[in-house]
Amino acid sequence: MGDNAKFSINGEDYEYPVLTGTVGPDVVDIRKLYGQTGAFTYDPGFTSTASCESELTFIDGGEGVLLHRGYPIEQLAEQSSFMEVAHLLLRGELPTADEYSDFTNTITRHTMVHEQLRGFYQGFRRDAHPMAIMCGVVGALSAFYHDSTDINDPAQRMIASHRLVAKMPTIAAMAYKYSIGQPFVYPDNDLSYTGNFLRMTFGVPAEPYEVHPAIEKAMDRIFILHADHEQNASTSTVRLAGSSGANPFACIAAGIACLWGPAHGGANEAALNMLKEIGHPDRIPEYIARAKDKDDPFRLMGFGHRVYKNYDPRASVMQETVREVFETLKVKDPVFDVALQLEEMALNDPYFIDKKLFPNVDFYSGIILSAIGFPTSMFTVLFALARTVGWVAQWNEMISDPGQRIGRPRQLYTGPAKRDYVSIDKR
Ligand code: CMC
């Protein structure tokens, strides 16, 4: 703990403890501020507010560092697998060989969904956005699995967590199949987590499907890059929903709803749409000018981040993965050239330099996903699939924290002061 922070209001002096984490900025503990001073703090968007204590993920936005339980994302992306990272996030450590096989076996045995859940898909129009389907179907899981909803029992919490991680690829693939009018494909437990997802998405019952190892590896890496990201909007939504003691499946559905927005996970879809709209490097200056124009709401999608004021380390790995996938599939996409040149132009432009705006994880991911064969409407679904492990790990951490209380922000009220009701004929 560091020195106390001194605070003065209405002529009175107060002191608040300064907490220090393993790494990262000091945190002034103002929990007693309101009780002692009668004042709140004002921080819309939570730019200066830590909402919880966490051991899961650390970001140094200035340096462009992302660690999961201490391990740099670049090392995990390069050397690990999504199942290992899932174990790391959920259970606290990288697994031993036995733990790994036990964990993957557990997840694999939960990949099927209740047969009745299939009926939920039929309720959606066939042109429904897959994220709309995800919000509905994942929320509906809360009506199916009643034996894992005592959130005060750590074993039940872990079962719910395993179910969510395991079923998300099945549910996501079914959302895709429904949108293209193909039959659902059941999971094949002989395949890896990621291989199974690819088969359920791109396979058809009429013929065998062979998982391409390089694509499986690239997809697995994309899942790793999205697995967790500290207290972002959707994770905070999951925590806030969970803080009331809500059903775990419903909490994750709340996270999916939040993720969908274009300022958050929806940016991968928006970024690729933007790159396609630009279409040719000659048009980049026009779009850069629009992004800088205060009177134009347009922003460069896949650019900028609340926390990173440097290159998002996930974007570097993603850019490298685009090259690998293109090489493997022997394809080229002019959109990648547009993206590379857009990045270069923006990074040399004083507007983006001054505001410290760099490419984020969403800038390049869509180019890879599109090369693999996913339509843009599935991009955010894939983000949700991978982020589910982060959400459940954060939710577990919150519930097991003895200091956890229901989340309940305050406000700066600027509406009318108390006034008397006037009947309608006198207004
Ligand atoms: N293009 C142009 N200007 C931008 C951009 C952008 N992409 N991002 C931020 N700015 C400007 C913004 O106009 C503001 O300027 P000023 O100070 O003159 O008003 C300044 O930079 C700070 O922006 P902000 O909106 O106050 O920053 P924020 O921390 O609230 O927002 C953000 C962060 C990610 C929502 C924002 O950068 C953005 O909208 N980016 C585009 C959407 C995007 O790529 N989102 C994905 C984020 S990473 C993955 C994820 O979270 O899912």
Side-chain angles (χ1 to χ4, degrees):
M1 197 180 295
D3 287 341
N4 283 350
K6 296 184 176 51
F7 177 77
S8 160
I9 188 168
N10 296 330
E12 297 281 338
D13 293 332
Y14 301 89
E15 288 201 13
Y16 294 97
V18 177
L19 311 177
T20 49
T22 324
V23 275
D26 288 342
V27 175
V28 182
D29 179 353
I30 56 159
R31 276 177 289 187
K32 295 201 171 127
L33 183 107
Y34 174 57
Q36 291 177 343
T37 68
F40 300 142
T41 55
Y42 182 60
D43 186 20
F46 309 115
T47 308
S48 304
T49 299
S51 60
C52 63
E53 195 179 316
S54 181
E55 297 179 355
L56 282 156
T57 293
F58 172 75
I59 304 172
D60 182 334
E63 294 297 320
V65 169
L66 167 61
L67 310 175
H68 291 318
R69 298 205 187 263
Y71 296 104
I73 190 67
E74 296 87 345
Q75 290 182 22
L76 294 172
E78 187 56 39
Q79 299 170 46
S80 181
S81 69
F82 181 65
M83 275 297 97
E84 270 203 341
V85 174
H87 187 283
L88 176 70
L89 290 169
L90 255 183
R91 305 265 176 94
E93 287 297 342
L94 285 171
T96 61
D98 283 350
E99 285 166 345
Y100 182 74
S101 108
D102 184 54
F103 184 70
T104 46
N105 190 33
T106 304
I107 297 294
T108 303
R109 280 195 287 108
H110 282 294
T111 48
M112 286 200 299
V113 292
H114 194 288
E115 201 60 15
Q116 263 190 330
L117 200 74
R118 296 161 75 94
F120 276 82
Y121 289 82
Q122 317 307 326
F124 287 93
R125 271 173 60 133
R126 71 189 161 91
D127 58 354
H129 194 288
M131 278 301 275
I133 300 180
M134 294 300 287
C135 291
V137 174
V138 175
L141 291 178
S142 54
F144 282 84
Y145 300 103
H146 300 297
D147 58 339
S148 58
T149 53
D150 178 0
I151 61 158
N152 296 314
D153 176 355
Q156 290 198 37
R157 282 206 304 273
M158 209 34 88
I159 295 173
S161 305
H162 292 156
R163 282 187 169 139
L164 276 156
V165 172
K167 293 182 198 313
M168 206 55 89
T170 315
I171 292 169
M174 287 166 80
Y176 174 65
K177 286 299 194 196
Y178 185 72
S179 73
I180 58 167
Q182 285 187 359
F184 298 145
V185 175
Y186 286 110
D188 176 347
N189 289 350
D190 286 336
L191 297 175
S192 72
Y193 183 85
T194 303
N196 187 32
F197 171 64
L198 289 170
R199 182 181 161 274
M200 288 189 290
T201 304
F202 298 119
V204 286
E207 54 192 57
Y209 176 83
E210 214 162 294
V211 179
H212 193 309
I215 298 304
E216 183 182 11
K217 188 162 174 273
M219 196 70 230
D220 201 69
R221 187 184 288 168
I222 292 173
F223 288 162
I224 293 174
L225 294 176
H226 288 93
D228 192 47
H229 211 233
E230 210 225 58
Q231 306 311 319
N232 56 81
S234 58
T235 301
S236 298
T237 300
V238 170
R239 279 188 179 255
L240 196 55
S243 76
S244 72
N247 177 290
F249 301 99
C251 293
I252 301 306
I256 293 174
C258 178
L259 185 76
W260 193 2
H264 193 7
N268 52 15
E269 180 175 349
L272 191 74
N273 288 338
M274 174 193 76
L275 293 169
K276 282 185 178 160
E277 191 184 302
I278 297 175
H280 193 277
D282 290 353
R283 297 188 64 202
I284 293 172
E286 183 195 322
Y287 281 80
I288 297 237
R290 283 188 61 197
K292 288 158 53 173
D293 182 356
K294 280 272 152 262
D295 298 324
D296 188 334
F298 174 76
R299 286 183 169 202
L300 280 194
M301 299 315 286
F303 247 81
H305 198 274
R306 169 63 61 78
V307 184
Y308 291 118
K309 301 303 167 200
N310 202 327
Y311 213 97
D312 180 338
R314 302 168 301 172
S316 321
V317 181
M318 211 58 102
Q319 200 202 82
E320 211 178 287
T321 311
V322 178
R323 293 185 206 282
E324 284 172 22
V325 167
F326 279 11
E327 208 164 288
T328 303
L329 296 178
K330 310 253 176 299
V331 291
K332 271 190 160 189
D333 187 344
V335 160
F336 187 40
D337 295 328
V338 173
L340 289 171
Q341 290 192 43
L342 176 59
E343 175 189 328
E344 196 190 330
M345 216 173 275
L347 295 184
N348 285 302
D349 187 295
Y351 174 93
F352 292 89
I353 295 170
D354 292 350
K355 294 186 191 303
K356 298 191 166 72
L357 300 170
F358 292 84
N360 59 50
V361 68
D362 295 319
F363 192 64
Y364 287 107
S365 62
I367 300 175
I368 312 175
L369 297 174
S370 176
I372 294 177
F374 291 100
T376 46
S377 60
M378 277 297 287
F379 293 178
T380 314
V381 172
L382 302 173
F383 193 153
L385 187 171
R387 183 55 58 84
T388 296
V389 70
W391 288 331
V392 292
Q394 299 264 358
W395 171 80
N396 268 289
E397 183 177 62
M398 178 193 69
I399 306 281
S400 49
D401 179 351
Q404 187 265 325
R405 302 168 74 195
I406 187 168
R408 199 340 180 157
R410 302 306 295 253
Q411 62 171 13
L412 171 64
Y413 176 68
T414 53
K418 180 172 180 289
R419 51 184 172 164
D420 289 325
Y421 178 82
V422 180
S423 62
I424 197 162
D425 55 314
K426 300 212 172 77
R427 274 175 232 156

